[in-house]
């Protein structure tokens, strides 16, 4: 149930930042967490606070050609990548004296950077997978094929398979099956009938045809094959949950015995699949999307073997394209980054290679990163802030006038059970069993992907590791995991201009304090609130309190549904509900904690801004961003976060503390009428 993970900002880890500079850095550059030159004071703060706080930044920071959007978070991530590049180039160049970790990250990065070798190898890098597909003799051979062929990043063919925490007993790990098998970013792309959706499907067909031609098919055969892929994916898409349906954890809880799974999807040979994929013995599998698996089984009777071979050839080639020779990588970029998201140029090779290393060997590279940027003092300061935000939440729960004492008591039990993970894991993952070649990039991607898949599979039957992290130490993001009931703040997000120890509390509480509050509030948003203190899917609310809570979240749903994301596409208030509730709750908690911490300090105005004003500008400036229309369109369909401007203005119109700080009056755009103000937590 990976969907019970709620990240703070970056939904897409592998399509990040750009750069005008190309050099690597010995230290991270500094910029302050509150920067008055990033503001645009010609804008009325009571009309559009986001542009008032970020207008200068937006003018000074156009979207680089190779990026699909640009933001404070993206810039910091780019700084991190440049910093990591220095570590990796040294590790790749060293001829002697490398320890195991240095050899792993150096060879992985070096193989990625060796573009000549990658180009010479060409499609040969995936020949063994293509041969395995061609060698299939019957539909029964599909199960062992999907067990053996691993895609990059631990993904599996046709569906998502692995392990997950048992929704009823979060201390246990069980086998898990998720929907999957699509090439477009979401199932809605296959079903919507508006002109833009039809255009995207037509362009996707051209993309699939181009991939088949790169695999050696004639244009006629390639076109026919693209049609086959589209038809097969459309059947799977129609049987898939929507993203909003996936936000209901009860939809995803369908635990069954193997015999039930065989009854649900009888045409797939599950026994062979699980044996060949080397699963440990297990009794129970959770099937997150039963309808999808029924469709997989039905398609196995309606589509002949030749069509399945076509479908698998495409998915193997498409998944590995970015790591193959230039024609494949170009086609991948042209469709997924340029056409779908609006990027104008490819990222420099080094940056892609640093990201791949950070993603695939995250806890090897992370060791080198945190040693240089994350001190014990920084960790202690961040933990102090977490403690103060948690104290504010305890106080806030006590103050809620709509919640009964019984539910309040349970909420505090859950709050006190949250594990706070700051900086990096206590124990680093060991990658020494993976063969990392200095010359075979696609092979390294496959082997690290297989390692990750088997790491997940081998958790089945074992107790949960509460020390595990799901993102790398250098990642500029944070998350709450409902089944772990933990918040995770990697070292990468605790750096300036996000968290700035050179600055005073006002901007730091507005920014990082709000993010900590955001992650805590995820434990109590419309989705997270359905899990108890142990991370089990178990109702701890009284019926009346849940009804009152639902009415309050509906206020937020209605508010954000009224916002336009791009052109005629509205924000999906139900898809973004959890994030919007967390944004609002988080900032309220941060304000309380900041006021409590500074009540005897008598903070003074700086740069013509009162302490309260600096708190709110600090908040807004975490999110300064420029966004391409194409990217906004993809994200409106797929990203649970609202567009940047609404993550600021949408929160502040619900905070009378903001209106007071800036003297905003009833009737101005940044002030909602009292009767319309949304308050959840
Ligand atoms: Zn979030």
């Amino acid at each position: 149930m990976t969907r019970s993970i709620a990240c703070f900002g970056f939904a897409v880890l592998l399509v990040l930042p750009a750069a005008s500079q190309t050099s690597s850095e010995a230290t991270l550059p500094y910029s302050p967490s509150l920067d008055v030159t990033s503001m645009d004071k010609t804008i009325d703060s009571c009309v559009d606070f986001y542009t008032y706080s970020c207008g200068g930044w937006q003018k000074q920071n156009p979207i680089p050609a190779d990026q699909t959007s640009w933001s404070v978070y993206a810039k910091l991530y780019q700084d991190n990548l440049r910093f990591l590049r220095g570590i990796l180039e040294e590790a790749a160049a060293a001829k002697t004296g490398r320890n195991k970790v240095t050899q792993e990250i150096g060879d992985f990065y070096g193989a990625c950077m060796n573009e000549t070798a990658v180009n010479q190898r060409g499609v040969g890098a995936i020949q063994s997978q293509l041969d395995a597909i061609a060698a299939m003799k019957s539909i029964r051979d599909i199960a062992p094929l999907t067990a053996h062929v691993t895609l990059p990043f631990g993904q599996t063919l046709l569906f998502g398979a692995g392990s997950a925490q048992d929704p009823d007993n979060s201390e246990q790990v069980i086998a898990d099956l998720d929907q999957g098998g699509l090439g477009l970013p979401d199932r809605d792309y296959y079903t919507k009938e508006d002109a833009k959706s039809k255009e995207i499907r037509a362009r996707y067909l051209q993309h699939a045809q181009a991939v088949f031609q790169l695999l050696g098919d004639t244009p006629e055969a390639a076109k026919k094959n693209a049609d086959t892929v589209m038809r097969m994916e459309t059947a799977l898409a129609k049987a898939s949950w929507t993203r909003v349906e996936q936000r209901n954890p009860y939809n995803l809880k369908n635990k069954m015995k193997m015999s039930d799974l065989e009854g649900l999807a009888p045409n797939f040979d599950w026994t062979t699949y699980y044996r060949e994929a080397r699963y440990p013995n297990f009794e129970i599998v959770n099937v997150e999307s039963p309808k999808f698996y029924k469709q997989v089984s039905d398609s196995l009777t309606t589509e002949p073997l030749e069509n399945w071979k076509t479908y698998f050839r495409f998915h193997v080639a498409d998944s590995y394209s970015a790591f193959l020779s230039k024609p494949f990588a170009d086609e991948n970029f042209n469709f997924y980054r340029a056409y779908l998201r609006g990027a104008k140029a490819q990222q420099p090779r080094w940056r892609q290679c640093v990201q791949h290393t950070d993603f695939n060997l995250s806890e090897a590279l992370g060791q080198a990163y945190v040693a240089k940027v994350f001190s014990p003092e920084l960790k202690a300061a961040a933990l102090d802030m977490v403690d103060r935000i948690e104290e504010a939440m305890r106080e806030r729960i006590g103050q809620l006038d709509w919640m009964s004492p019984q539910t309040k008591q349970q909420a505090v039990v859950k709050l006190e059970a949250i594990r706070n993970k700051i900086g990096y894991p206590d124990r680093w993952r060991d990658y020494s069993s993976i063969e990392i070649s200095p010359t075979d990039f696609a092979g390294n991607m496959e082997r690290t992907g297989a390692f990750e898949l088997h790491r997940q599979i081998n958790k089945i039957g074992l107790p949960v590791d509460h020390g595990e992290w799901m993102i790398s130490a250098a990642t500029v993001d944070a998350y709450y995991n409902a089944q772990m009931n933990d918040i995770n703040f990697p070292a990468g997000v605790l750096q300036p201009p996000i968290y700035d120890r050179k600055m005073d509390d006002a901007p730091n509480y507005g920014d990082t304090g709000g993010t900590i509050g955001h992650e805590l509030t995820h434990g109590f948003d419309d989705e997270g609130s359905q899990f108890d203190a142990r991370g089990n899917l178990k109702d701890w609310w009284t019926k009346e309190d849940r009804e009152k809570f639902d009415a309050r979240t509906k206020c937020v749903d209605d508010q954000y549904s009224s916002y336009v994301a791009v052109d005629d596409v509205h924000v999906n208030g139900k898809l973004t509900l959890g994030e919007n509730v967390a944004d609002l709750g988080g900032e309220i908690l941060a304000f309380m904690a900041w006021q409590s911490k500074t009540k005897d300090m008598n903070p003074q105005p700086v740069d013509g801004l009162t302490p309260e004003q600096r708190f709110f500008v600090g908040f807004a400036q975490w999110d300064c961003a420029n966004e391409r229309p194409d990217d906004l369109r993809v994200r409106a369909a797929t990203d649970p976060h609202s567009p940047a401007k609404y993550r600021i203005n949408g929160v502040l119109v619900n905070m009378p503390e903001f209106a007071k700080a800036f003297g905003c009056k009833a009737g101005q755009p940044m002030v909602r009428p009292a009767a319309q103000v949304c308050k959840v937590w």
Side-chain angles (χ1 to χ4, degrees):
M1 303 242 295
T2 49
R3 262 170 247 92
S4 55
I5 315 302
C7 288
F8 182 62
F10 273 161
V12 188
L13 283 172
L14 283 175
V15 288
L16 290 176
S20 47
Q21 290 164 271
T22 53
S23 64
S24 53
E25 304 276 338
T27 55
L28 286 171
Y30 173 76
S31 49
S33 66
L34 193 165
D35 187 347
V36 288
T37 68
S38 292
M39 299 171 69
D40 181 351
K41 290 192 179 172
T42 68
I43 303 291
D44 186 337
S45 58
C46 299
V47 172
D48 176 1
F49 188 71
Y50 178 72
T51 309
Y52 167 83
S53 300
C54 288
W57 189 97
Q58 289 179 308
K59 287 193 196 89
Q60 295 154 24
N61 293 278
I63 306 174
D66 59 2
Q67 297 301 304
T68 59
S69 65
W70 197 229
S71 65
V72 167
Y73 266 51
K75 272 185 86 165
L76 173 56
Y77 184 62
Q78 176 188 309
D79 291 341
N80 280 346
L81 293 180
R82 261 205 306 277
F83 182 75
L84 295 173
R85 180 192 188 187
I87 295 168
L88 288 170
E89 288 190 337
E90 208 174 296
K95 295 281 177 276
T96 54
R98 298 194 299 181
N99 63 26
K100 183 68 191 158
V101 166
T102 320
Q103 181 259 316
E104 285 162 1
I105 59 178
D107 285 351
F108 191 95
Y109 178 77
C112 179
M113 287 300 289
N114 190 345
E115 220 173 340
T116 312
V118 170
N119 279 323
Q120 276 170 359
R121 192 101 195 273
V123 75
I126 52 169
Q127 197 57 52
S128 66
Q129 292 96 318
L130 297 175
D131 289 346
I133 293 165
M136 286 197 295
K137 297 274 188 294
S138 84
I139 290 285
R140 298 303 281 181
D141 293 336
I142 287 175
L145 180 90
T146 51
H148 290 142
V149 173
T150 310
L151 301 180
F153 313 116
Q155 298 177 86
T156 46
L157 273 171
L158 184 56
F159 47 76
S163 65
Q165 282 169 274
D166 183 339
D168 299 315
N169 176 8
S170 66
E171 293 300 323
Q172 283 288 335
V173 181
I174 57 174
D176 187 81
L177 287 170
D178 195 0
Q179 62 193 36
L182 308 181
L184 284 167
D186 185 72
R187 52 94 66 204
D188 285 355
Y189 282 80
Y190 297 85
T191 57
K192 286 169 70 176
E193 286 300 322
D194 60 285
K196 183 70 183 175
S197 297
K198 288 179 181 169
E199 178 204 301
I200 292 172
R201 286 198 290 274
R203 185 64 187 73
Y204 181 55
L205 278 171
Q206 290 171 14
H207 164 66
Q209 182 180 347
V211 170
F212 281 115
Q213 286 186 241
L214 287 170
L215 288 173
D217 294 3
T218 63
E220 299 71 40
K223 187 167 182 311
K224 186 166 161 283
N225 287 341
D227 288 337
T228 298
V229 168
M230 179 62 101
R231 186 185 64 252
M232 293 174 72
E233 289 187 10
T234 303
L236 297 176
K238 285 181 175 162
S240 298
W241 292 123
T242 65
R243 287 190 190 244
V244 171
E245 286 165 341
Q246 286 177 302
R247 295 197 66 249
N248 177 352
Y250 287 94
N251 281 346
L252 309 183
K253 187 182 112 167
N254 307 286
K255 286 158 51 177
M256 53 183 81
K257 296 197 186 86
M258 190 63 97
S259 54
D260 301 326
L261 176 61
E262 283 162 350
L264 174 72
N267 300 320
F268 188 86
D269 184 353
W270 292 104
T271 305
T272 301
Y273 174 79
Y274 280 116
R275 188 187 62 237
E276 294 294 312
R278 292 186 284 131
Y279 274 65
N281 287 330
F282 64 84
E283 307 252 306
I284 299 291
V285 54
N286 187 42
V287 181
E288 297 193 25
S289 178
K291 250 187 333 175
F292 173 86
Y293 282 91
K294 185 173 182 310
Q295 181 60 54
V296 167
S297 186
D298 290 350
S299 292
L300 288 168
T301 60
T302 54
E303 299 286 350
L305 181 65
E306 283 313 306
N307 291 355
W308 284 103
K309 289 184 178 181
T310 299
Y311 170 88
F312 289 128
R313 280 172 74 220
F314 173 71
H315 276 276
V316 165
D318 201 42
S319 301
Y320 279 99
S321 279
F323 323 114
L324 301 178
S325 54
K326 191 166 184 306
F328 282 93
D330 286 350
E331 177 55 37
N332 190 270
F333 168 80
N334 288 338
F335 181 69
Y336 287 107
R337 298 249 311 152
Y339 172 72
L340 275 185
R341 291 180 177 267
K344 309 290 180 212
Q346 297 200 39
Q347 299 194 86
R349 182 124 193 132
W350 72 263
R351 197 171 324 116
Q352 298 179 44
C353 292
V354 175
Q355 291 179 74
H356 294 318
T357 315
D358 183 41
F359 202 88
N360 288 284
L361 297 172
S362 57
E363 296 196 10
L365 186 54
Q367 296 178 45
Y369 175 75
V370 299
K372 298 200 180 193
V373 304
F374 200 71
S375 65
E377 293 76 31
L378 182 54
K379 181 165 181 163
L383 273 170
D384 177 67
M385 195 184 257
V386 171
D387 287 344
R388 289 173 187 276
I389 305 279
E390 287 182 344
E391 184 51 44
M393 181 138 206
R394 206 170 287 119
E395 197 184 324
R396 181 85 186 163
I397 290 168
Q399 290 169 355
L400 296 175
D401 57 9
W402 56 273
M403 190 182 276
S404 70
Q406 299 98 291
T407 307
K408 282 184 182 182
Q409 193 192 353
Q410 294 304 312
V412 171
V413 167
K414 177 162 183 180
L415 173 65
E416 289 179 349
I418 292 176
R419 286 182 174 83
N420 302 317
K421 287 151 71 184
I422 305 293
Y424 56 91
D426 292 337
R427 275 190 325 279
W428 296 102
R429 195 167 299 152
D430 177 8
Y431 298 102
S432 59
S433 64
I434 313 175
E435 182 205 339
I436 306 285
S437 157
T439 53
D440 178 12
F441 175 43
N444 289 341
M445 289 299 296
E446 189 203 349
R447 287 185 290 272
T448 50
F451 171 87
E452 176 57 19
L453 180 61
H454 286 115
R455 195 178 72 79
Q456 297 296 343
I457 288 171
N458 289 331
K459 292 178 183 175
I460 294 169
L462 297 177
V464 165
D465 174 8
H466 287 285
E468 182 174 357
W469 286 64
M470 305 184 71
I471 54 179
S472 80
T475 303
V476 185
D477 204 346
Y479 70 89
Y480 170 78
N481 181 334
Q483 287 185 284
M484 293 287 227
N485 196 26
D486 64 10
I487 60 172
N488 299 258
F489 279 76
V493 81
L494 294 168
Q495 307 294 332
I498 310 289
Y499 181 55
D500 183 358
R501 294 197 72 209
K502 291 192 177 133
M503 278 269 168
D504 57 284
D505 287 324
N508 275 322
Y509 272 78
D511 187 325
T512 295
T515 312
I516 294 166
H518 171 110
E519 300 307 341
L520 289 175
T521 306
H522 269 313
F524 306 87
D525 70 19
D526 62 310
E527 187 177 4
S529 63
Q530 301 183 65
F531 295 84
D532 70 6
R534 293 169 177 273
N536 294 330
L537 193 50
K538 194 169 164 197
D539 194 4
W540 46 272
W541 294 68
T542 67
K543 189 165 169 290
E544 298 73 40
D545 287 336
R546 177 52 82 171
E547 281 165 8
K548 288 178 194 165
F549 176 78
D550 289 345
R552 282 164 185 272
T553 57
K554 181 165 189 312
C555 177
V556 178
D557 178 355
D558 292 343
Q559 180 195 343
Y560 283 80
S561 295
S562 74
Y563 295 146
V564 172
V566 61
D567 299 337
D568 59 341
V569 181
H570 276 246
V571 173
N572 182 337
K574 291 189 168 54
L575 175 63
T576 57
L577 182 55
E579 295 300 334
N580 298 332
V581 166
D583 280 342
L584 175 58
E587 212 50 32
I588 291 171
L589 296 178
F591 193 79
M592 286 174 68
W594 171 66
Q595 287 210 310
S596 161
K597 185 180 179 204
T598 56
K599 65 179 186 298
D600 299 323
M601 291 180 178
N602 192 24
Q604 294 301 306
V606 180
D607 296 326
L609 295 168
T610 67
E612 286 76 13
Q613 290 174 339
R614 294 178 72 245
F615 173 92
F616 287 111
V617 174
F619 164 52
Q621 287 193 346
W622 84 255
D623 198 23
C624 295
N626 283 309
E627 295 161 305
R628 293 192 199 278
D630 290 324
D631 192 52
L632 282 168
R633 183 178 288 274
V634 174
R635 283 173 38 208
T638 59
D639 188 347
H641 305 91
S642 297
K645 177 178 170 176
Y646 304 131
R647 293 194 69 180
I648 304 303
N649 289 353
V651 166
L652 297 179
V653 295
N654 290 316
M655 284 183 76
E657 300 90 339
F658 162 77
K660 187 171 167 222
F662 284 88
C664 303
K665 300 277 181 295
Q668 291 189 289
M670 288 300 302
V671 183
R672 272 161 85 86
Q676 288 177 25
V677 164
C678 301
K679 280 269 150 55
V680 183
W681 289 96

